[in-house]
């Protein structure tokens, strides 16, 4: 029994309960069916029209389910026009930069009115580069940074996204140092043109399930979980996780021989099996008993695109109202109080705007991938409270496929509130014409490591289907008991359906 379940049994009974979730895969079969559009009270006529009952497959005959999904109107909704202050970063012309009083930019020679950054040497392996305000001169990581807006981290249709993932997967590595902070080992990797990525190494086999005796805060982080989380976040239409790719690196030539981090370099050794290993220094699992090892030199890793430097784009960290206690014996307040959401709704920034449904989006993502470790989240300070949540640090997801953790859905179950667009996309992904497991499988095949072996086992893909059915059951249970469940972020989009669906 989960901590949250135990707390709920001791507390006063709730007016709406989570569906009972059986805890072995054989028992899950009855709940694995898609939620049919014909189910009584499940969908309004407007919702049925928007979802389309999977008929879009017929319109894009010959496409994969993944391609068909991204062709669907729910993934091509009209976007609000972006104003100047809706972009996180902008490139300024020299005259504007000088007006702002930047001494460093004052010294730069003008180049037809463009901003210009030059690398005057190739010291340390960095290429000679000249970047101007012309986007074609920008390396992929800079294009990614300049594409961040108030409403999403990236535009799924932006061709620069494919260039960025290719860059992460193929560019030569110039430097590797251990990233400070956090509880487990991760490295900061440097590329030509001043790009950087966050590396998380493979520490256990992909099919290894989390030990049932481990608490969530003692679990290993998984490189493939970071990769799969990026793909799942994109499939849900959120676009709130920085792009992540898998890569095979050489532990010796791409870390040990180039690192300038003496603390890291001291932890390398050759195992009795002849594999090159290291363990770094961190709070958990950084010891010779928990090494990261190549075979003998090759190591699977995930590489995540770095966000803009905090000096350029400050971020604010928020403690999640549904943060776990991180104690082996104590329960958090939300685990003991079934009316906890009433308090949250009265507390800024959850008392107005979209912050509450943003948090519930994140809870849905976490439940689908069984991530219990969401203690904080971040936003870009520039945008205040009117912006999206960054879904960072997903290494403890996809630990178990044989068990679900209903407590992760507590924000949805206790608040009975969800975005209309999120609910409709989840419903679409439950239909046979799309199926979350199928499009997830197709999406993961795009990752370079998919050629080594599947990034998620079929058991994990089946678990996604099972958990998706649970989320939809919770929403429908809420709708039976409450009127104000759906936060309608699609107002006006379906009044003239033929106009905006094309």
């Amino acid at each position: 029994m989960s901590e949250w379940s135990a707390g709920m049994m001791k507390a006063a009974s709730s007016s709406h309960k989570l569906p009972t979730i059986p805890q072995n895969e054989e028992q899950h079969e009855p709940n694995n069916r898609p939620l049919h559009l014909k189910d009584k009270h499940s969908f309004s006529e407007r919702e049925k029209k928007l979802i389309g009952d999977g008929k879009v497959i017929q319109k894009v005959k010959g496409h994969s389910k993944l391609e068909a999904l991204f062709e669907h109107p729910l993934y091509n909704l009209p976007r609000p026009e972006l104003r100047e202050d809706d972009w996180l970063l902008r490139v300024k012309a020299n005259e504007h930069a000088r007006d702002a009083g930047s001494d460093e930019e004052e010294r730069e020679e003008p180049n037809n009115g463009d901003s210009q950054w030059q690398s005057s040497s190739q010291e340390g392996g960095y290429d000679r580069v000249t970047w101007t305000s012309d986007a074609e001169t920008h390396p992929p990581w800079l294009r990614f940074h300049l594409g961040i807006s108030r409403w999403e981290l990236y535009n799924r249709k932006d061709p620069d996204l494919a260039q960025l993932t290719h860059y992460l997967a193929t560019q030569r590595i110039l430097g590797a140092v251990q990233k400070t902070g956090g509880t487990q080992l991760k490295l900061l990797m440097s590329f030509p043109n001043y790009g950087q990525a966050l590396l998380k190494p493979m520490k256990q086999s992909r099919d290894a399930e989390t030990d049932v005796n481990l608490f969530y805060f003692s679990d290993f982080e998984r490189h493939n979980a970071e990769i799969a989380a990026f793909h799942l976040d994109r499939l849900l239409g959120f676009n709130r996780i920085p792009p992540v790719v898998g890569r095979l690196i050489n532990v010796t030539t791409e870390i040990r021989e180039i690192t300038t981090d003496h603390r890291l370099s001291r932890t390398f050794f050759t195992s009795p099996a002849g594999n090159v290993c290291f363990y770094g220094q961190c709070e958990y699992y950084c010891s010779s008993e928990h090494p990261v090892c190549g075979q003998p030199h090759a190591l699977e890793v995930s590489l995540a695109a770095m966000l803009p430097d905090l000096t350029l784009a400050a971020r604010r960290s928020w403690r999640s109202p549904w943060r776990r206690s991180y104690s082996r014996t104590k329960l958090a307040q939300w685990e003991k109080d079934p009316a906890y959401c009433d308090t949250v709704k009265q507390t800024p920034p959850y008392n107005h705007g979209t912050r509450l449904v943003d948090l519930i989006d994140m809870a849905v993502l976490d439940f689908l991938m069984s991530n219990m470790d969401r203690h904080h989240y971040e936003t870009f300070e520039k945008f205040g409270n009117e912006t999206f949540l960054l879904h960072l640090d997903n290494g403890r997801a996809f630990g178990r496929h044989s068990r679900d953790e209903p407590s992760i859905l507590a924000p949805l179950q206790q608040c009975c509130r969800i975005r209309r667009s999120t609910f409709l996309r989840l419903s679409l992904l439950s239909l046979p014409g799309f199926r979350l497991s199928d499009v997830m499988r197709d999406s993961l095949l795009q990752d370079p490591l998919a050629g080594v072996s599947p990034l998620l086992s079929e058991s994990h893909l089946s678990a996604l289907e099972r958990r998706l059915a649970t989320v939809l059951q919770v929403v429908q249970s809420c709708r039976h008991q409450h009127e104000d469940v759906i936060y309608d972020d699609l107002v006006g989009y379906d009044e003239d359906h033929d106009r905006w669906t094309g």
Side-chain angles (χ1 to χ4, degrees):
M1 181 180 297
S2 71
E3 293 182 354
W4 179 79
S5 300
M8 290 296 285
M9 288 179 66
K10 296 176 183 177
S13 60
S14 173
S15 60
H16 38 271
K17 297 181 182 298
L18 277 170
T20 300
I21 300 180
Q23 295 301 325
N24 63 67
E25 292 189 13
E26 290 75 12
Q27 290 176 296
H28 284 304
E29 292 303 321
N31 289 335
N32 210 21
R33 66 179 182 86
L35 191 65
H36 296 295
L37 298 186
K38 296 179 181 179
D39 289 354
K40 187 178 180 181
H41 304 305
S42 294
F43 297 91
S44 69
E45 290 303 318
R46 294 167 64 201
E47 290 167 347
K48 292 178 185 178
K49 194 173 183 181
L50 279 178
I51 296 171
D53 203 11
K55 292 179 181 177
V56 72
I57 290 288
Q58 310 304 321
K59 299 180 182 178
V60 286
K61 188 176 180 181
H63 286 205
S64 70
K65 287 186 177 182
L66 179 63
E67 293 171 319
L69 180 74
F70 287 146
E71 290 286 338
H72 193 280
L74 287 171
Y75 288 82
N76 295 277
L77 298 172
R79 295 172 176 270
E81 185 176 351
L82 294 173
R83 304 181 302 271
E84 186 66 23
D85 62 354
D86 288 334
W87 296 102
L88 182 65
L89 300 172
R90 294 284 83 185
V91 176
K92 293 183 178 180
N94 265 352
E95 55 182 316
H96 297 138
R98 283 196 295 269
D99 289 342
S102 170
D103 293 336
E104 186 174 73
E105 290 168 348
E106 275 276 347
R107 293 192 294 270
E108 291 183 352
E109 291 295 326
N111 181 30
N112 298 327
D114 283 336
S115 284
Q116 184 177 4
W117 302 267
Q118 293 191 14
S119 170
S120 58
S121 73
Q122 293 175 286
E123 183 180 355
Y126 288 95
D127 298 335
R128 180 184 294 275
V129 292
T130 300
W131 306 336
T132 71
S133 59
D134 183 354
E136 293 183 0
T137 69
H138 299 161
W141 64 264
L142 182 56
R143 297 186 194 185
F144 164 55
H145 289 178
L146 293 174
I148 299 172
S149 74
R150 179 184 298 274
W151 307 118
E152 60 185 358
L153 202 52
Y154 60 87
N155 183 340
R156 177 181 51 80
K157 295 182 178 181
D158 189 343
D160 291 337
L161 186 65
Q163 294 181 28
L164 175 61
T165 54
H166 180 73
Y167 175 91
L168 294 172
T170 60
Q171 282 291 307
R172 77 182 188 276
I173 297 172
L174 301 180
V177 296
Q178 186 166 346
K179 180 79 165 57
T180 58
T183 59
Q184 297 193 35
L185 177 68
K186 50 188 180 291
L187 304 180
L188 188 61
M189 313 300 285
S190 299
F191 302 115
N193 292 335
Y194 304 95
Q196 292 185 318
L198 186 67
L199 178 151
K200 290 191 177 181
M202 181 176 184
K203 299 199 71 171
Q204 57 189 335
S205 71
R206 299 183 190 182
D207 296 329
E209 274 206 281
T210 300
D211 189 323
V212 294
N213 292 311
L214 276 183
F215 288 91
Y216 51 88
F217 48 82
S218 299
D219 193 11
F220 281 116
E221 290 192 342
R222 288 164 282 277
H223 74 301
N224 61 313
E226 293 286 358
I227 301 167
F230 162 65
H231 286 263
L232 180 59
D233 182 83
R234 186 176 67 130
L235 291 176
L236 296 177
F238 294 156
N239 303 340
R240 300 167 196 167
I241 293 180
V244 185
V245 301
R247 179 167 172 170
L248 275 176
I249 66 165
N250 187 302
V251 174
T252 301
T253 62
E254 294 182 301
I255 301 180
R256 183 175 187 172
E257 292 179 356
I258 63 174
T259 186
T260 57
D261 187 333
H262 298 299
R263 294 189 310 159
L264 176 66
S265 63
R266 286 197 295 266
T267 68
F268 277 85
F269 65 93
T270 300
S271 75
N275 297 321
V276 179
C277 305
F278 66 101
Y279 52 87
Q281 296 183 23
C282 60
E283 188 174 340
Y284 287 107
Y285 305 126
C286 282
S287 67
S288 57
E289 290 79 21
H290 299 96
V292 173
C293 296
Q295 295 187 358
H297 302 278
L299 174 67
E300 279 190 34
V301 301
S302 67
L303 289 171
M306 296 293 289
L307 294 174
D309 190 273
L310 293 175
T311 59
L312 296 175
R315 302 194 299 272
R316 180 171 178 180
S317 179
W318 303 80
R319 179 171 173 151
S320 171
W322 280 272
R323 180 184 186 272
R324 297 177 184 277
S325 67
Y326 286 80
S327 166
R328 294 175 177 83
T329 57
K330 296 179 181 179
L331 296 176
Q333 185 61 31
W334 61 267
E335 296 176 285
K336 299 180 286 186
D337 180 7
Y340 178 78
C341 187
D342 293 339
T343 302
V344 175
K345 287 178 179 178
Q346 298 171 22
T347 306
Y350 306 99
N351 58 346
H352 68 279
T354 63
R355 182 60 62 89
L356 183 60
V357 289
D358 289 336
L359 197 71
I360 289 171
D361 279 350
M362 189 165 61
V364 169
L365 170 71
D366 285 336
F367 176 72
L368 291 175
M369 59 186 185
S370 196
N371 177 26
M372 300 174 67
D373 192 35
R374 189 73 68 187
H375 45 83
H376 287 78
Y377 63 87
E378 295 184 23
T379 58
F380 288 109
E381 275 193 2
K382 175 181 178 179
F383 301 134
N385 291 334
E386 296 181 11
T387 187
F388 64 95
L389 312 187
L390 289 162
H391 298 166
L392 305 177
D393 198 7
N394 303 286
R396 283 186 171 138
F398 295 104
R400 293 181 189 145
H401 54 71
S402 59
R403 295 181 64 87
D404 300 341
E405 183 48 62
S407 64
I408 302 173
L409 275 185
L412 172 60
Q413 189 271 338
Q414 292 181 345
C415 298
C416 270
R417 194 85 166 131
I418 192 170
R419 265 193 176 88
R420 185 176 178 220
S421 60
T422 298
F423 172 57
L424 293 179
R425 284 177 180 142
L426 293 171
S427 302
L428 184 70
L429 289 166
S430 75
L431 298 178
F434 295 101
R435 286 181 62 87
L436 178 56
S437 59
D438 290 342
V439 294
M440 185 68 169
R441 186 185 298 106
D442 287 351
S443 187
L444 289 173
L445 285 174
Q446 299 174 351
D447 188 85
L449 282 183
V452 179
S453 64
L455 282 162
L456 286 182
S457 67
E458 288 300 314
S459 296
H460 277 296
L461 295 174
S462 296
L464 283 175
E465 293 283 345
R466 183 175 74 234
R467 293 165 187 162
L468 174 59
T470 298
V471 174
L472 291 174
Q473 289 168 20
V474 172
V475 176
Q476 297 299 3
S477 175
C478 284
R479 296 181 82 179
H480 278 286
Q481 300 175 60
H482 304 272
E483 292 184 2
D484 190 24
V485 173
I486 302 298
Y487 174 84
D488 196 351
D489 59 335
L490 303 181
V491 175
Y493 288 171
D494 53 347
E495 291 178 356
D496 187 358
H497 184 263
D498 292 337
R499 172 176 60 82
W500 65 269
T501 59

